[in-house]
Amino acid sequence: MKIVMLGAPGAGKGTQAQMIADQYKIPHISTGDIFRENVKNGTALGMEAKKYMDQGALVPDELTVRILLDRVARDDCKNGYVLDGFPRTIPQAEVLDKALREIGDKIDYAINVDVPDENIIRRMSGRRACLTCGATFHIEHIPPKQEGICDKCGKELVQREDDKAETVKNRLEVYHKQTQPLIDFYTGQNVLQTVDGTVDMKDVFAAINEILA
Ligand code: AMP
């Protein structure tokens, strides 16, 4: 089963992707996570990607596509995968489509987790992250026991550069301009399904499960 998650940044598609991955025993592939891991490890790829990520811009298609195609060619993807944060542009979707067609395959479901912009801004500006262990919190929904301190490792929590209000607005603009057209792309392939992403994450997952079952 090959699944693409669509939705604005902060819509909760990463959480849902992980739940799908656990339930269906397929890998959860997040290009954002791959980039962040590389930034953390200071690789050449990470240094290049960081320039774009810090501004809320997209990493160029050429680089992103190469990384994704490498990842889905691995053995653990034989029975499918759930893509989170890829494709983000029509050219990315077309490259993936072509690569799949060449092996007689296709995306089975594109799940659009729908959340209005106002909710996204509220959600993202409250996020806090631990740069040491990677744990994430939310000042309203998942507050750390002690303000500004990571529950897991005791280090300082910060607002990630790409969660700052100005960057979030940029990311939403980029989303509407470059990523939203994918809704039509996958509608045209008869695989698009939309779920309400404003409800409790368990209910979002229940709606997704009904689609996949
Ligand atoms: P995410 O965690 O998916 O929101 O990704 C964080 C950042 O990584 C994005 O704001 C982009 O700068 C970059 N990124 C992740 N996935 C892609 C992609 N498919 N295409 C281009 N840039 C991406």
Side-chain angles (χ1 to χ4, degrees):
M1 183 152 53
K2 297 186 174 62
I3 304 169
V4 161
M5 301 302 288
L6 295 176
K13 59 185 187 307
T15 308
Q16 297 301 326
Q18 189 54 51
M19 290 163 95
I20 294 170
D22 291 343
Q23 170 111 350
Y24 293 91
K25 312 250 179 305
I26 49 177
H28 166 200
I29 300 175
S30 153
T31 38
D33 281 352
I34 296 175
F35 287 138
R36 275 187 290 278
E37 186 64 25
N38 276 276
V39 170
K40 199 170 137 200
N41 294 332
T43 67
L45 164 66
M47 314 248 256
E48 180 63 16
K50 190 174 189 308
K51 293 194 282 196
Y52 302 92
M53 293 167 81
D54 281 352
Q55 295 165 24
L58 293 185
V59 176
D61 282 344
E62 206 187 274
L63 188 60
T64 310
V65 157
R66 190 151 38 88
I67 286 175
L68 190 277
L69 292 183
D70 261 10
R71 178 64 190 89
V72 295
R74 287 206 216 145
D75 256 12
D76 63 340
C77 290
K78 270 205 293 263
N79 296 326
Y81 41 77
V82 50
L83 299 183
D84 160 22
F86 186 99
R88 280 277 230 291
T89 65
I90 293 281
Q92 289 182 11
E94 283 170 344
V95 170
L96 176 64
D97 202 45
K98 181 163 170 277
L100 287 172
R101 243 181 299 129
E102 280 170 8
I103 55 168
D105 213 338
K106 64 175 188 55
I107 291 297
D108 301 298
Y109 299 95
I111 298 174
N112 176 29
V113 182
D114 189 33
V115 178
D117 284 8
E118 311 83 79
N119 300 36
I120 299 276
I121 291 169
R122 210 166 338 116
R123 280 186 190 182
M124 289 179 85
S125 55
R127 274 193 199 165
R128 295 294 178 271
C130 176
L131 298 184
T132 308
C133 77
T136 52
F137 300 86
H138 192 282
I139 50 177
E140 281 173 51
H141 311 301
I142 325 165
K145 291 195 189 84
Q146 193 185 340
E147 198 186 316
I149 303 291
C150 177
D151 285 359
K152 297 203 175 129
C153 75
K155 294 278 168 36
E156 189 194 0
L157 295 177
V158 297
Q159 186 173 40
R160 264 175 22 194
E161 204 52 51
D162 60 354
D163 287 338
K164 296 202 167 142
E166 207 40 47
T167 319
V168 171
K169 279 194 201 132
N170 276 348
R171 294 176 73 190
L172 281 171
E173 231 172 85
V174 168
Y175 167 74
H176 289 299
K177 225 187 269 164
Q178 308 208 53
T179 308
Q180 214 169 4
L182 292 175
I183 292 181
D184 288 341
F185 181 91
Y186 286 112
T187 301
Q189 295 199 351
N190 277 326
V191 293
L192 187 90
Q193 298 277 354
T194 295
V195 294
D196 177 3
T198 63
V199 296
D200 188 275
M201 66 183 189
K202 288 199 196 75
D203 297 327
V204 180
F205 186 59
I208 292 176
N209 239 336
E210 261 185 41
I211 292 165
L212 301 180

